[in-house]
Amino acid sequence: MPKVAIEVTVNNCEGLHARPAMQFVDVANKFGSNVVVYRETDAVDGKSVMQMITLGAAQGTTLKIEADGEDASAALESLKKLFDEKFGEE
């Protein structure tokens, strides 16, 4: 299975709080690929809202998102768009 990764920066002022974490998980769950999100040495399941919130990703935090599966590239493209659009918060 193909494995791809990207780096994103949390740009919305409130960081990755409950609402954007839920948006992230909703998008990730549309894809069959596994999604793992890394913050420094921490790694969490990108399809679990509770795990995403535990990252404590404030504004300016850089995250690595890794996906593996048949639709991995499409998953990362959709997830990156959330960060690019600041989760619709600004």
Side-chain angles (χ1 to χ4, degrees):
M1 288 198 204
K3 184 182 276 191
V4 292
I6 59 169
E7 282 195 357
V8 295
T9 301
V10 178
N11 289 316
N12 54 312
C13 338
E14 300 296 321
L16 201 60
H17 60 89
R19 193 181 72 73
M22 190 65 198
Q23 285 179 278
F24 184 99
V25 169
D26 286 346
V27 170
N29 279 307
K30 291 179 181 178
F31 298 91
S33 294
N34 295 317
V35 177
V36 179
V37 182
Y38 299 87
R39 178 179 179 202
E40 298 172 3
T41 58
D42 295 330
V44 300
D45 179 355
K47 294 187 175 187
S48 165
V49 71
M50 292 305 292
Q51 289 187 35
M52 288 294 295
I53 291 171
T54 65
L55 286 173
Q59 183 181 31
T61 302
T62 299
L63 302 172
K64 176 182 172 186
I65 307 170
E66 186 176 270
D68 67 274
E70 294 300 319
D71 55 3
S73 292
L76 291 186
E77 184 177 312
S78 293
L79 292 168
K80 183 180 182 310
K81 185 176 179 182
L82 289 173
F83 287 90
D84 291 346
E85 296 175 351
K86 299 182 182 181
F87 294 89
E89 292 189 341
E90 296 174 19

